[in-house]
Amino acid sequence: MVVPKHLQRHPTRAAIEALALRFGLPNDPSMQDWEWEVADAGRLDAFIAAYRSGELDDDERFTLMEVIIQSFEDEGTAVDDDPRWPLVARLLDENIALHAQTVWYWACLGSDDEWCVTPLIRPILEKHHAQLLGSDQAALK
């Protein structure tokens, strides 16, 4: 699951603070993986609506997408049966430059581990794989 160095991106403190304030989410410095800890399947509709609102900057959208995907993971049902998943998949596909890290990570390439969303994210990665590899292609062979 090693994401190529040129694709790596992480939530910023400013994005976390903005999203925590917007959604009334906990935001304690001891939270190691904030974007996964605050995920809430019961708030998926609100998270998706905020992502689509046009009110968030790229760092906020990147971080919120991580929250959204983890929320699907936490939902406990078949993600591919959720009518909201096609919209989220389209958002990932249409914004691949922003979400390359996310797509690569959740696709679990080269790992026996996988999450509920993994089989649904892999086609997005396959579609953009050559584009995303760019000059790091040799490093992954």
Side-chain angles (χ1 to χ4, degrees):
M1 273 192 296
V2 176
V3 177
K5 191 166 187 79
H6 71 284
L7 299 179
Q8 292 179 9
R9 182 177 189 144
H10 304 283
T12 64
R13 175 58 36 205
I16 289 170
E17 289 172 0
L19 293 171
L21 183 62
R22 181 183 190 110
F23 292 107
L25 298 169
N27 182 16
D28 186 282
S30 67
M31 298 173 83
Q32 183 175 354
D33 295 310
W34 182 88
E35 66 278 14
W36 300 330
E37 290 186 48
V38 300
D40 182 348
R43 298 182 75 180
L44 265 166
D45 291 331
F47 294 152
I48 294 168
Y51 183 98
R52 298 180 70 207
S53 72
E55 298 171 2
L56 305 179
D57 67 24
D58 281 352
D59 286 337
E60 293 165 346
R61 288 189 312 135
F62 169 80
T63 303
L64 185 56
M65 183 57 75
E66 286 288 336
V67 174
I68 290 168
I69 292 174
Q70 184 63 52
S71 295
F72 274 107
E73 276 298 308
D74 294 347
E75 191 173 31
T77 59
V79 177
D80 55 344
D81 289 339
D82 191 308
R84 297 168 293 194
W85 179 256
L87 170 60
V88 171
R90 190 176 84 236
L91 293 170
L92 288 167
D93 181 49
E94 291 173 353
N95 299 285
I96 193 64
L98 177 61
H99 298 300
Q101 153 80 29
T102 300
V103 169
W104 200 285
Y105 177 82
W106 288 94
C108 301
L109 291 184
S111 174
D112 292 334
D113 297 328
E114 69 175 54
W115 294 283
C116 297
V117 298
T118 297
L120 303 172
I121 287 182
R122 282 184 178 156
I124 300 166
L125 180 58
E126 289 169 11
K127 177 180 177 182
H128 298 283
H129 193 257
Q131 169 196 351
L132 295 177
L133 281 177
S135 63
D136 276 5
Q137 190 168 7
L140 296 170
K141 289 185 176 182

